[in-house]
């Protein structure tokens, strides 16, 4: 099982932490609000610990569970403390009304985060196509991920499986833009055709 540090104190961070603990992973919770981080860790139980924001995370896998608007800044603040880590970017980059992306053509939030990270860190895009409240239901879901480093992707794939989810590799980190583009698609589906936010994207492999 994995040793995971989660930077963020929101609903998605909590849902990932709960499933990670249920899957036998060690979990460290980190936030700018140290008191709240300790409260979240205590509420989770299962041996979850609270880390100190800005210092070297305990986990080999570091889940960046913060809004994209602040994600690059957080990575820059951590600097060399993320050296050698696998950084999992779960952010969505859609605009205020979820009809488009805020990142320029030809790039993605994950790629911008990778630019801010140490050279020895490896960024993998994952989990942005899953709503936090759906993840918290505990059901089996498909999780799409993208990255450039094969060992990092293997570690993320194994972590996803430990959560009782199916990992689906979509290719290199350049594919992160299209995963982020699935965000507005999912929001549009929830608001229109599905009529509910209790939805998840997945695929059927036909024989």
């Amino acid at each position: 099982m994995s040793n995971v540090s989660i930077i963020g104190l929101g609903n998605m961070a909590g849902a990932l932490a709960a499933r990670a603990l249920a899957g036998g992973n060690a979990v460290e919770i980190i936030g700018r609000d140290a008191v709240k981080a300790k409260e979240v860790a205590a509420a989770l139980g299962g041996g979850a610990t609270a880390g100190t924001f800005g210092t070297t995370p305990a986990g080999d896998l570091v889940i960046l569970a913060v809004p994209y608007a602040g994600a690059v800044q957080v990575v820059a603040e951590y600097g060399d403390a993320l050296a050698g880590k696998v950084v999992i970017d779960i952010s969505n980059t859609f605009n205020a009304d979820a009809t488009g992306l805020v990142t320029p053509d030809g790039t993605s939030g994950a790629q911008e985060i990778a630019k801010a990270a140490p050279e020895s860190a490896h960024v993998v895009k994952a989990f942005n196509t899953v709503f936090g409240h759906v993840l918290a239901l505990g059901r089996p879901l498909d999780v799409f991920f993208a990255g450039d480093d094969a060992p990092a992707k293997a570690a993320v794939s194994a972590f996803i499986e430990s959560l009782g989810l199916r990992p689906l590799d979509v290719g290199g980190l350049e594919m992160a833009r299209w995963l982020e583009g699935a965000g507005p698609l999912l929001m549009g589906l929830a608001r229109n055709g599905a009529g509910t936010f209790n939805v998840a994207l997945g695929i059927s492999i036909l024989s």
Side-chain angles (χ1 to χ4, degrees), residues 85-111:
K85 304 291 186 180
V86 176
V87 178
I88 304 175
D89 166 37
I90 72 169
S91 67
N92 269 302
T93 61
F94 50 72
N95 57 17
D97 61 2
T99 59
L101 303 179
V102 299
T103 49
D105 289 345
T107 190
S108 65
Q111 288 167 296

Side-chain angles (χ1 to χ4, degrees), residues 68-151:
Y68 176 65
V72 173
Q73 179 183 346
V74 168
V75 171
E77 286 183 53
Y78 267 82
D80 288 340
L82 294 177
K85 304 291 186 180
V86 176
V87 178
I88 304 175
D89 166 37
I90 72 169
S91 67
N92 269 302
T93 61
F94 50 72
N95 57 17
D97 61 2
T99 59
L101 303 179
V102 299
T103 49
D105 289 345
T107 190
S108 65
Q111 288 167 296
E112 296 305 304
I113 287 167
K115 291 177 184 177
E119 187 174 349
S120 62
H122 302 289
V123 175
V124 176
K125 187 79 185 186
F127 295 106
N128 75 292
T129 58
V130 181
F131 288 130
H133 72 278
V134 173
L135 185 65
L137 295 175
R139 298 179 182 178
L141 303 165
D142 286 346
V143 176
F144 303 98
F145 67 98
D148 290 334
D149 183 78

Side-chain angles (χ1 to χ4, degrees), residues 3-207:
N3 193 339
V4 183
S5 294
I6 301 176
I7 302 174
L9 302 174
N11 291 338
M12 191 67 175
L16 282 168
R19 289 194 74 147
L21 288 166
N25 301 283
V27 174
E28 177 185 49
I29 302 296
I30 304 170
R32 292 186 187 276
D33 185 335
V35 173
K36 185 175 180 180
K38 290 179 181 178
E39 291 174 349
V40 171
L44 284 166
T49 61
T52 301
F53 185 89
T55 63
T56 301
D60 297 319
L61 301 182
V62 179
I63 300 176
L64 191 61
V66 298
Y68 176 65
V72 173
Q73 179 183 346
V74 168
V75 171
E77 286 183 53
Y78 267 82
D80 288 340
L82 294 177
K85 304 291 186 180
V86 176
V87 178
I88 304 175
D89 166 37
I90 72 169
S91 67
N92 269 302
T93 61
F94 50 72
N95 57 17
D97 61 2
T99 59
L101 303 179
V102 299
T103 49
D105 289 345
T107 190
S108 65
Q111 288 167 296
E112 296 305 304
I113 287 167
K115 291 177 184 177
E119 187 174 349
S120 62
H122 302 289
V123 175
V124 176
K125 187 79 185 186
F127 295 106
N128 75 292
T129 58
V130 181
F131 288 130
H133 72 278
V134 173
L135 185 65
L137 295 175
R139 298 179 182 178
L141 303 165
D142 286 346
V143 176
F144 303 98
F145 67 98
D148 290 334
D149 183 78
K153 290 170 75 172
V156 173
S157 180
F159 172 65
I160 292 169
E161 287 185 333
S162 79
L163 272 58
L165 308 170
R166 182 171 67 160
L168 294 169
D169 185 349
V170 304
L173 198 61
E174 71 277 1
M175 294 299 292
R177 179 167 181 82
W178 307 112
L179 287 182
E180 292 168 12
L185 174 69
L186 185 57
M187 292 290 285
L189 177 65
R191 291 168 173 170
N192 297 283
T196 175
F197 281 85
N198 291 328
V199 295
L201 296 181
I203 68 164
S204 297
I205 300 176
L206 305 178
S207 58

